[in-house]
Amino acid sequence: MAGVNILKYLGWLGHDRQCDRGRQAAPICPQRLLPQPAQTRDGGMRPRSVDAILDDNRDILGRIKLAYGGDGNAFAKEMLPLIRKYIAYVNVLPATQDSFFARPGGLARLGLETAFFALQATDSQIFAGRATISTRRQLEPRWRFGTFAAGLCAYLYRALDTVVVSDEHGTVWHPYLTSLGEWIHKHSVGRLFVKWGEARQECRSLSLFALPMILPTDTLAYLTQDGSMIVAHMLAAISGEVRYHDHNVIDHLVNRASTLVIHRDLRDADAPAGRARARAYLARFLLNAMRELVQSHQGWVPNADRSRMWLGRDGLFLVWPNGISDILTLLEDEGLYGLPASPVDAMEILIDAGIILPMSSDESVWSIRPPGAPEPLEALKLVTPGCVLAVLHPSPVALDMNIALNGSHEEERTTESDTKLRQASATPPQAQEECPAPETPPDASDRQLSLPTIPPIPAVAGSAGIEPRTDGRQGKAKKVKHTEPIQSAIGHYSLRAPIRLNPGVAKILQAIVQTLNDTTLPPACYPMASGLFVPLDVFAARQADGKMALRALADADMLVTGPAGTEPVEYHKLHGKQLVGMVIARQFIEGLDGAGETSINSNAG
C-alpha cells in the first residue's frame, strides 16, 4: 500500500510540469524539506522506515521523475527500486559530522540531490557520439540511468569508512554485510548512536563493496547489454578511479552535481566562507587536478625546465602560487561549483586535508632552489611524492640533491664547508696525509630524516629504453629516453588517417607530420623504431587540446601502448629537455617503412 501511495503523489506531480527540460539554461534547485531532528545528539537518532524517508523527500523525488521523462509505471519499475534500496542502506545517517548534510537523513538527501542534478545535466550531453543514430537511441537511456546511479552512490563510502553505528545495547552494525535498514529490523533497534572516526584520507572505492546491496541484478543486466562501457564508467565514477584520458562523461556530470549540491547546503547552513574545514571536500578535486596536470601538461613534467613540479631527495615541491593557479584554472574549466576564491584558500584546504606539509607552524611556503634557477623559488611541499606521481609510468627520477633551502642552517653549513676547503688548500698534501682529521661527533641538528624518494630505474645496456622481464607476470617498464634526431633515409612523410579518427585531430596531425618534410625548420615530431613520437605541446602550439588529441588517437587505436593498465604516454629527452608525448604506430605514417631505426637514436638514460 505504501508503494501505491507513493505512485499517487508522483503521478500528481507528473501532471503539474511547469517547464520544458530542454529549455533550462541553469540547474533548477528544488525546494528542500529539511527533516526535523526527533532527538538530541546525545540521545541518538530514531530510525525511520523507507516510506517515511521517501515522504520527507517527495519534492526531490518529483523532480527526479520529471527529469527521467517516463510515465509513472516506468519510474516505479526502473528507478524506484534503486532509490528504495539506497535509502534502506543509509536510513537516517548524516553525511558528515559538522559540515555538509550533517543532519539526520543527510546522506540520503545528498545522494538524491546529486543524482537529480546529474540526471538533469544528461539532457545536454551526447553519449556514444561515434555510434550510429539508432545505436545511440538504444544506449542513451542506459547512459542516463548509469549517471543517475553513480550520482546516487557518489558518497556511499561515507557509510562504510567514517562512522560506527550501534544501538542502545552496544551492538555494532557491519556495513559490509547488510544494509542499515535490514539490521535495524533484525535487531529491533529503537535508537541509533553514531560515533565518528578520526579524520583521514577518504577511500571512495569502499562504495563498491556495498553496491551489490543497492544495485538490483535486473538493473545491472540492463546496463551491461551489448557489452557497452556504461557499467565500467559508472563504477569508475563511484570509486574515484578515473584516468584523465578516459573521457568519462558520467564522472564529469557527477562531480559538477555534487559540488553544486554541497555548495548550496553549506551556503544555506551559513557555514563560514573562510573555514577550510567546511570545504575540505574540495581537497580531492584539487589533488585529482594535480594528477591530471602532471600527466598531460608540459609545464608540469617533474624536474623539467621551468616546471611547476620539482622532485629532490627531500621531497616533492609545487611552485607557489603558479602551480595552484593552474589547478584552479583546470577546475573552473570543468565547471565545478564552490571552488576556492584564491590560491591562498586552496592552500589552506590542502593543508587541512594533510596533503601539503607546512614548513613550520608559522610559515606554509618553502624556499627551493632547483638546478639552473637564477634565484630561490617559493613552493609548497607535498606530504609524499607518491600522492601525485604514483600515476606516472615510469616513475620520475628524483634529483640527487636537496632543493629546499633552510635559512641560517644552510648558511652555517656553507660557511663551515668553505672554511674546511680553504684550510685544505693551504695545507700541503704531505701534511694532509700525516695529520688525520680529528674525529668530531656529528651535530644532532644535522640528523634529519628525509622523505622516501622514488628510486631511479636502473639502466640496461642495449635495451633502447625498455626494461627486460624479470618474471612471467611482470610487464615491460618504459624509461625516459635520450633522443637525438639524425638525418632520415626517407624524404617524404604523410599521415594515413583511418576513417574513425576525428577529422579535426587528423588535420592538425597531418600538419605536424608535414614538418618532417621541411628541412629548413625544426621538426615538430620525431620518427623512432616503434613509430612517430609527437610531443603534447605541439598541439597547444596549434591552438588544440593535447588531452583531446590523445583521447581521439587512443579511441582510433593509433597509439603504441605499453603493458595493460599503463598510460599511452612516453617521455623523451630531446636537446636537453624532457618531453612528454605519444607514439603513433608505424602503419599510420607513410614514410616510416624504410626509415627503420636509423631515423632516431634512442639510448636508455
Side-chain angles (χ1 to χ4, degrees), residues 91-108:
N91 204 267
V92 294
L93 288 181
T96 61
Q97 182 178 9
D98 55 2
S99 183
F100 54 90
F101 291 91
R103 56 190 176 274
L107 188 55

Side-chain angles (χ1 to χ4, degrees), residues 74-319:
F75 178 82
K77 181 180 179 181
E78 299 170 4
M79 302 286 282
L80 199 56
L82 175 64
I83 296 174
R84 293 184 66 90
K85 283 181 174 290
Y86 173 77
I87 293 179
Y89 188 86
V90 301
N91 204 267
V92 294
L93 288 181
T96 61
Q97 182 178 9
D98 55 2
S99 183
F100 54 90
F101 291 91
R103 56 190 176 274
L107 188 55
R109 184 73 189 195
L110 173 61
L112 290 173
E113 289 196 14
T114 303
F116 162 69
F117 283 110
L119 177 64
Q120 188 182 57
T122 58
D123 294 340
S124 60
Q125 296 292 327
I126 297 178
F127 298 96
R130 297 183 181 179
T132 62
I133 296 177
S134 58
T135 303
R136 288 204 305 267
R137 185 181 304 168
Q138 296 176 358
L139 292 178
E140 184 176 357
R142 290 183 238 164
W143 278 106
R144 298 181 75 242
F145 191 93
T147 303
F148 177 83
L152 187 67
C153 302
Y155 288 88
L156 183 62
Y157 69 93
R158 303 195 67 86
L160 294 92
D161 184 42
T162 59
V163 297
V164 176
V165 182
S166 60
D167 61 5
E168 57 268 27
H169 305 293
T171 305
V172 177
W173 168 54
H174 297 284
Y176 296 96
L177 303 179
T178 182
S179 67
L180 182 57
E182 184 178 349
W183 179 78
I184 291 172
H185 177 74
K186 180 178 180 180
H187 295 274
S188 301
V189 178
R191 309 294 288 184
L192 293 175
F193 295 86
V194 176
K195 180 180 179 181
W196 296 91
E198 297 181 359
R200 58 179 181 268
Q201 185 177 359
E202 61 185 19
C203 185
R204 297 174 60 199
S205 58
L206 292 177
S207 300
L208 301 180
F209 290 95
L211 202 59
M213 291 180 270
I214 296 175
L215 195 64
T217 55
D218 295 342
T219 301
L220 190 61
Y222 168 70
L223 295 177
T224 55
Q225 289 181 11
D226 302 328
S228 62
M229 297 295 296
I230 299 175
V231 173
H233 284 213
M234 179 188 70
L235 296 180
I238 294 175
S239 62
E241 300 295 329
V242 179
R243 294 182 295 181
Y244 82 97
H245 67 276
D246 281 345
H247 192 54
N248 193 322
V249 179
I250 293 180
D251 181 68
H252 173 69
L253 297 179
V254 170
N255 286 339
R256 289 194 62 189
S258 64
T259 54
L260 170 64
V261 168
I262 295 174
H263 175 64
R264 289 176 52 243
D265 187 77
L266 292 175
R267 181 195 61 194
D268 296 344
D270 295 328
R275 283 180 54 191
R277 179 176 177 82
R279 297 177 296 167
Y281 70 96
L282 293 172
R284 71 175 175 94
F285 297 104
L286 297 172
L287 182 59
N288 289 338
M290 279 191 274
R291 293 170 177 170
E292 179 174 344
L293 287 169
V294 82
Q295 295 177 88
S296 61
H297 198 289
Q298 183 65 31
W300 279 64
V301 177
N303 298 339
D305 187 25
R306 297 184 179 181
S307 175
R308 299 283 198 256
M309 279 281 180
W310 290 96
L311 177 62
R313 290 185 306 188
D314 46 353
L316 180 66
F317 295 87
L318 173 65
V319 174

